[in-house]
């Protein structure tokens, strides 16, 4: 994939890395949202031995170098890793160096942002409202969907946007487990790195502008949305 100049001197850009990056980020967001919200709500609701250690584990991909996270994933899902070996022997397939590996890498590195955002949002919810709903006969599941989620929605949306932006820009873990296969696993960050390495600054610059623009408008849109919804909340009736 490359950026080429036609006879008129106009730059023609290949869109495959851009489309793949968006697909990978969106796919990872499904898992990140489900597990991030579930983990945050569970940590808020329950006390158990080792809770602090588990919370530290959740935050680890946020502070570790992405290449270290990628190495750990490589050990787990590689051909000789426990997960990779199981998939190879049981299903005659491999996870490594596939788009699925890119999705896994993006999900792991962006998970802490969703978890931390959801955790902060849930902690800001007034527990008295939830307790009052339970006293009036609402089940825990109904309280969660009609009170907890609506009151924490702004924080959850912020977590979604930040997680998507982080997944879109993931490089270190992706190159470890997915590699750089044009048309298959080459995302925007990988395209930028290898273009710069080959001294194709036109290509690298085009992709830099693309991913910077996407990320900017995501954060800008989030800020505008947050200001418009500041102080607003919607709690459905629990009856």
């Amino acid at each position: 994939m490359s950026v080429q100049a036609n006879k008129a001197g106009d730059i023609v850009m290949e869109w495959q890395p851009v489309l793949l990056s968006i697909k990978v980020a969106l796919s990872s967001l499904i898992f990140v949202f489900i597990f991030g919200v579930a983990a945050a709500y569970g940590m808020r609701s329950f006390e158990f031995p080792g809770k602090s250690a588990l919370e530290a584990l959740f935050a680890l991909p946020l502070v570790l170098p992405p290449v270290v996270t990628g190495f750990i994933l490589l050990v787990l899902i590689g051909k000789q890793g426990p997960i990779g070996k199981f998939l190879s022997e049981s299903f005659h397939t491999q996870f490594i160096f596939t788009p699925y590996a890119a999705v896994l890498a993006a999900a792991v590195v962006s998970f802490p942002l969703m978890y931390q955002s959801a955790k902060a949002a849930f902690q800001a919810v007034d527990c008295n409202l939830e307790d009052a709903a339970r006293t009036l006969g609402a089940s825990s599941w109904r309280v969660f969907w009609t009170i907890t989620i609506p009151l924490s929605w702004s924080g959850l949306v912020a977590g979604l946007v930040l997680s998507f932006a982080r997944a879109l820009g993931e490089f270190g873990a992706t190159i470890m487990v997915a590699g750089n296969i044009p048309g298959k696993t080459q995302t925007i960050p990988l395209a930028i790195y290898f273009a710069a390495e080959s001294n194709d600054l036109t290509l690298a610059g085009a992709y830099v502008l693309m991913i910077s623009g996407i990320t900017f408008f995501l954060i800008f849109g989030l800020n505008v949305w947050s200001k418009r919804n500041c102080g607003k909340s919607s709690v459905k009736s629990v009856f």
Side-chain angles (χ1 to χ4, degrees):
M1 299 300 169
S2 62
V3 174
Q4 301 175 340
N6 58 24
K7 293 181 179 180
D10 299 326
I11 293 177
V12 180
M13 180 176 173
E14 295 289 346
W15 290 88
Q16 184 276 331
V18 178
L19 297 177
L20 180 61
S21 292
I22 293 174
K23 289 179 181 179
V24 167
L26 288 175
S27 299
S28 68
L29 206 60
I30 297 172
F31 301 99
V32 166
F33 181 77
I34 293 173
F35 290 106
V37 170
Y41 188 73
M43 287 295 183
R44 173 183 179 255
S45 303
F46 304 104
E47 293 292 336
F48 53 88
K51 180 178 178 180
S52 296
L54 186 58
E55 284 190 300
L57 182 64
F58 287 161
L60 209 54
L62 189 63
V63 295
L64 281 178
V67 70
V68 175
T69 303
F71 177 78
I72 295 173
L73 291 176
L74 183 63
V75 170
L76 293 174
I77 68 174
K79 292 182 179 180
Q80 301 303 318
I83 299 176
K85 193 172 183 179
F86 170 77
L87 291 174
S88 179
E89 294 178 352
S90 302
F91 302 100
H92 305 289
T93 185
Q94 69 173 28
F95 202 76
I96 201 77
F97 302 131
T98 67
Y100 302 109
V103 172
L104 175 64
V108 170
V109 298
S110 59
F111 170 82
L113 291 173
M114 186 70 241
Y115 169 73
Q116 295 293 345
S117 297
K119 179 184 174 183
F122 289 153
Q123 288 177 338
V125 175
D126 189 350
C127 294
N128 293 325
L129 295 175
E130 296 173 312
D131 292 338
R134 294 189 185 96
T135 301
L136 295 172
S139 64
S140 296
W141 186 251
R142 192 170 187 184
V143 170
F144 176 76
W145 284 110
T146 59
I147 293 181
T148 310
I149 289 295
L151 290 178
S152 58
W153 186 241
S154 294
L156 297 180
V157 170
L160 278 171
V161 172
L162 294 175
S163 297
F164 179 82
R166 179 65 186 86
L168 195 67
E170 168 49 31
F171 172 80
T174 302
I175 197 170
M176 291 292 288
V177 298
N180 180 54
I181 307 174
K184 186 177 181 181
T185 65
Q186 187 184 62
T187 57
I188 299 178
L190 296 177
I192 292 171
Y193 176 81
F194 286 98
E197 190 178 54
S198 62
N199 203 34
D200 191 346
L201 300 185
T202 302
L203 169 65
Y207 285 128
V208 166
L209 289 175
M210 178 63 64
I211 194 171
S212 298
I214 293 173
T215 305
F216 171 81
F217 283 108
L218 280 172
I219 303 302
F220 176 76
L222 175 63
N223 289 337
V224 172
W225 182 83
S226 298
K227 288 181 179 179
R228 289 180 178 178
N229 290 272
C230 183
K232 294 181 181 180
S233 64
S234 57
V235 181
K236 299 176 183 178
S237 172
V238 298
F239 301 106

